[in-house]
Amino acid sequence: QVQLVESGGGLVQAGGSLRLSCAASGRTFSSVAMGWFRQAPGKEREFVAAIKWGGSSTYFSNSVKGRFTISRDNAKNTVYLQMNSLKPEDTAVYFCAASPVWPPLRSGVYDAWGQGTQVTVSS
């Protein structure tokens, strides 16, 4: 089992930035990639970004491409989501997740999830 803990959420004004962190522990060697998802009230959980533990492969949803970056620190088993130029529509609970496959674009391929961290962007 992989345990994931997100941090870094909060309240920010539109145009601002936040950096989310996701610390992984446990059987991290079983994961090939890490992803970030978000879920706004009344909406389905949607894919945001993913990164492979090895190499430099990344994926981004069209809605965040050019504004968000994803990175990892293998030594710390931590993945980061840098969010710039935030918009009110980015408001959601953000979840990190671990996947044993690549590319992990669908939520169904992930086998471990964090508890989520709230991001609120005010206009």
Side-chain angles (χ1 to χ4, degrees):
Q1 287 281 0
V2 177
Q3 291 79 45
L4 304 172
V5 179
E6 303 99 333
S7 60
L11 173 64
V12 64
Q13 288 188 332
S17 298
L18 279 175
R19 189 178 80 156
L20 305 183
S21 300
C22 175
S25 61
R27 294 173 57 90
T28 57
F29 56 85
S30 65
S31 298
V32 170
M34 296 291 290
W36 285 95
F37 285 74
R38 67 186 182 185
Q39 188 166 20
K43 295 188 177 181
E44 293 187 355
R45 189 170 298 189
E46 66 169 340
F47 171 79
V48 175
I51 188 167
K52 208 172 184 181
W53 278 117
S56 59
S57 297
T58 57
Y59 270 103
F60 294 92
S61 69
N62 288 334
S63 61
V64 307
K65 198 172 295 182
R67 299 188 297 122
F68 291 11
T69 58
I70 188 170
S71 61
R72 67 193 188 317
D73 184 331
N74 290 33
K76 295 182 179 180
N77 285 332
T78 299
V79 175
Y80 305 96
L81 185 68
Q82 178 66 45
M83 306 185 294
N84 300 326
S85 302
L86 283 161
K87 305 175 181 179
E89 51 263 43
D90 294 318
T91 295
V93 177
Y94 283 70
F95 300 87
C96 71
S99 170
V101 302
W102 180 263
L105 304 183
R106 296 181 295 107
S107 61
V109 305
Y110 290 82
D111 57 8
W113 292 83
Q115 81 288 351
T117 185
Q118 176 70 47
V119 171
T120 303
V121 185
S122 63
S123 58

